Amino acid sequence: MDDRRQSRGEAVDGGPGYAYMMFVLMESLLDKLKLLSYETEFAQELKMKYINRHYFALQTNPGEQFFLFSSLAAWLIRKCGIKFESPQEFDDPNGTIASILEQVRQMGVAVDFPPSKLKQGWGEQVIFVLSRLADQALLKNGFRWKRPIILPEDDDSNDTTMDGDDSEVTMEKIEEEMITEAFEEEDSDDEGEIMDLEALRNLSISKQENSEKNKPEEVMESNIDAMEWKLEVERVMHQLKVTVRNDSRDWRSHLEQIHQHRKNIEETLSTTKQQLDKLHSDISRSMEKISSREKYLNNQLEQLILEYRTAQDQLAQVKEQYKSVSGGVTERSRTLSQITEELEQVKQEMDERGSNMTDGKPLVNIRKALSKLKVELSQMDVRIGVASHTLLQAKLKEKGNLQRAVNNNPPALNTFTIF
């Protein structure tokens, strides 16, 4: 879902945490790169900079980030088994981006954002492209994500290899923990509720049953000194107190604060209300004065306003007349320019004809043309002679062929042919 949402070029409303989704995806990309051993095969061999978990999520140095992005993308493409040259620092960024996106599309990844998003060298589009290439590289290398292995929890209360004394001590510990939890639950409830004595009674009954089960066959005698026992009890007395942890999310911890705020609000409300009432009255008087002054000015300036409106109407009529007159002038000016152009063209033609009539250049051109025609006629005569000679040779050859054919035919056929 996050990948599909990230592949969109435009921002989408993904909730209040969507603004930080880019950091999560960047951390996931860094984990994939570590699985591909980029620290040794990419950073150390190619002398590249190590990236942190927020490198492509924040803008630091666009030029450096774009070069590192293009180099890392080229390395991932090569990890997928495709030949791809590493980009240089001074290569055209548009060509580099086009080559990378072409390889990404060939892998079957849909790219629906403009290539200019990758030129900045950071952002969700950069992380998306690198993440898809890393996925393809992991698949090419045969990596598969395995399911997490949940380790069983150690439960000391279920240990069945205890002796009789240890079993009693363990049961006492369990009883103390259950009593403590009961006290904590009772303290976290409302003050009017009563402790569940039935649960404590059942607890004591279960304790007696467990003690009966774990009762040794022989009578146990204590060999502990009573004074030492009392001293030990006094020493650990302060640790046997039940402490109730305050939860900051509990409404009871904020109840006193709520009462205090309400009291402060009630105290400041009276003075604030007086000030607001005074401000309201001052504003109302000012508004009344403004409205009365406005009415007075309107009455005094009514005649001038009518004159101003009349002048505006007259100005609008004059503007319309000016537009109509200026339109006619524009049309006549355009006609005049056309006539002027035609006149200039006629003058130019007349000048050319006059210069040709007084100039001997046409006669020279005629002589050149006649000499050229003579040369062409001589060439044509030569060509005609060659063609006539070729035709005569063809006729003689045809006649010889015909004569040989006649000589080779029988006499009867020759007689028929003569007739």
Side-chain angles (χ1 to χ4, degrees):
M1 179 67 71
D2 296 335
D3 295 340
R4 290 196 299 272
R5 183 183 300 167
Q6 187 189 9
S7 63
R8 301 175 186 173
E10 58 183 7
V12 296
D13 186 9
Y18 183 69
Y20 305 97
M21 183 59 65
M22 185 162 50
F23 297 94
V24 178
L25 297 175
M26 180 59 206
E27 291 183 1
S28 176
L29 171 62
L30 186 59
D31 292 337
K32 295 175 184 177
L33 294 177
K34 289 181 178 179
L35 291 174
L36 292 170
S37 303
Y38 96 102
E39 296 176 348
T40 57
E41 298 181 8
F42 175 75
Q44 294 182 2
E45 292 183 3
L46 302 179
K47 306 298 181 182
M48 291 293 180
K49 178 182 178 181
Y50 289 98
I51 62 176
N52 53 34
R53 58 193 182 96
H54 296 157
Y55 186 77
F56 291 114
L58 298 174
Q59 182 181 7
T60 55
N61 187 354
E64 178 187 344
Q65 286 178 311
F66 175 75
F67 178 66
L68 190 57
F69 156 70
S70 57
S71 301
L72 191 58
W75 177 73
L76 290 173
I77 292 172
R78 290 196 298 271
K79 291 287 288 184
C80 295
I82 302 172
K83 293 183 179 179
F84 194 86
E85 296 182 358
S86 298
Q88 301 300 323
E89 189 173 0
F90 299 102
D91 289 347
D92 184 15
N94 295 323
T96 304
I97 292 172
S99 301
I100 293 173
L101 290 181
E102 182 180 359
Q103 295 296 333
V104 172
R105 292 189 182 97
Q106 289 180 0
M107 294 177 183
V109 180
V111 179
D112 55 357
F113 54 83
S116 59
K117 293 290 185 179
L118 301 177
K119 192 180 294 184
Q120 59 188 2
W122 69 280
E124 59 179 356
Q125 289 80 14
V126 172
I127 299 173
F128 169 73
V129 171
L130 292 177
S131 181
R132 298 287 75 75
L133 290 175
D135 292 340
Q136 294 295 328
L138 289 173
L139 290 175
K140 182 66 177 179
N141 295 332
F143 179 82
R144 294 292 185 274
W145 295 100
K146 298 181 180 179
R147 293 186 177 181
I149 300 174
I150 302 175
L151 298 176
E153 297 181 356
D154 294 336
D155 192 359
D156 295 338
S157 62
N158 295 329
D159 192 0
T160 58
T161 61
M162 296 183 298
D163 298 333
D165 297 338
D166 295 336
S167 177
E168 292 180 359
V169 173
T170 305
M171 292 304 297
E172 290 178 0
K173 290 182 179 179
I174 295 172
E175 180 184 358
E176 290 177 359
E177 291 177 358
M178 294 179 67
I179 293 173
T180 305
E181 291 177 358
F183 275 110
E184 290 178 355
E185 292 178 357
E186 189 273 331
D187 291 334
S188 64
D189 294 334
D190 296 335
E191 296 178 359
E193 294 182 359
I194 302 174
M195 184 187 299
D196 190 1
L197 298 178
E198 186 65 25
L200 293 177
R201 188 180 299 110
N202 295 333
L203 182 62
S204 61
I205 293 172
S206 63
K207 178 187 175 183
Q208 291 178 2
E209 292 177 354
N210 291 328
S211 62
E212 290 293 336
K213 292 180 180 178
N214 298 323
K215 184 176 180 181
E217 298 178 357
E218 299 179 356
V219 178
M220 297 179 62
E221 295 181 359
S222 176
N223 55 1
I224 299 175
D225 189 3
M227 294 301 295
E228 292 181 358
W229 179 263
K230 290 181 180 180
L231 291 175
E232 183 67 20
V233 171
E234 291 177 359
R235 186 176 65 83
V236 299
M237 182 66 72
H238 64 282
Q239 298 180 0
L240 299 178
K241 296 180 180 178
V242 178
T243 58
V244 180
R245 299 177 181 177
N246 294 325
D247 190 1
S248 60
R249 295 175 295 179
D250 191 6
W251 62 271
R252 298 178 186 83
S253 62
H254 300 287
L255 183 60
E256 185 65 26
Q257 188 177 4
I258 292 171
H259 289 308
Q260 185 65 29
H261 289 328
R262 181 177 180 180
K263 183 178 179 181
N264 295 334
I265 291 171
E266 290 176 353
E267 290 177 355
T268 57
L269 180 62
S270 57
T271 56
T272 307
K273 187 176 181 180
Q274 293 177 2
Q275 295 176 359
L276 291 175
D277 291 338
K278 183 178 179 181
L279 182 62
H280 179 265
S281 60
D282 294 339
I283 294 173
S284 299
R285 287 195 297 270
S286 300
M287 292 294 292
E288 291 176 358
K289 289 180 181 180
I290 292 171
S291 61
S292 61
R293 294 290 179 85
E294 185 179 0
K295 291 179 181 178
Y296 175 75
L297 291 174
N298 289 332
N299 293 328
Q300 293 293 327
L301 300 175
E302 184 176 1
Q303 185 64 28
L304 296 175
I305 292 171
L306 292 175
E307 294 177 359
Y308 176 70
R309 290 176 180 173
T310 304
Q312 278 187 338
D313 295 337
Q314 293 177 358
L315 178 61
Q317 293 177 0
V318 172
K319 285 183 178 180
E320 290 293 333
Q321 294 176 0
Y322 174 74
K323 287 181 179 179
S324 60
V325 173
S326 63
V329 172
T330 304
E331 183 66 24
R332 289 180 177 84
S333 300
R334 188 174 61 81
T335 306
L336 178 62
S337 63
Q338 291 179 356
I339 294 173
T340 304
E341 290 178 358
E342 292 177 358
L343 181 60
E344 292 293 335
Q345 187 175 1
V346 171
K347 285 182 178 180
Q348 186 177 0
E349 291 178 356
M350 289 179 65
D351 293 338
E352 290 179 356
R353 290 181 181 179
S355 60
N356 292 331
M357 290 174 66
T358 58
D359 192 7
K361 188 176 180 180
L363 184 59
V364 175
N365 292 333
I366 291 171
R367 289 179 179 176
K368 289 181 178 179
L370 289 174
S371 61
K372 189 175 181 180
L373 285 173
K374 289 180 180 180
V375 173
E376 290 180 355
L377 287 173
S378 62
Q379 291 178 356
M380 288 297 295
D381 291 337
V382 172
R383 290 179 181 177
I384 289 170
V386 172
S388 299
H389 178 71
T390 304
L391 182 61
L392 180 60
Q393 290 291 332
K395 286 182 178 180
L396 292 175
K397 186 176 181 180
E398 184 179 0
K399 186 177 180 181
N401 293 333
L402 183 60
Q403 187 66 32
R404 284 193 297 269
V406 170
N407 295 329
N408 293 328
N409 289 332
L413 181 60
N414 291 335
T415 305
F416 179 76
T417 305
I418 294 171
F419 283 110

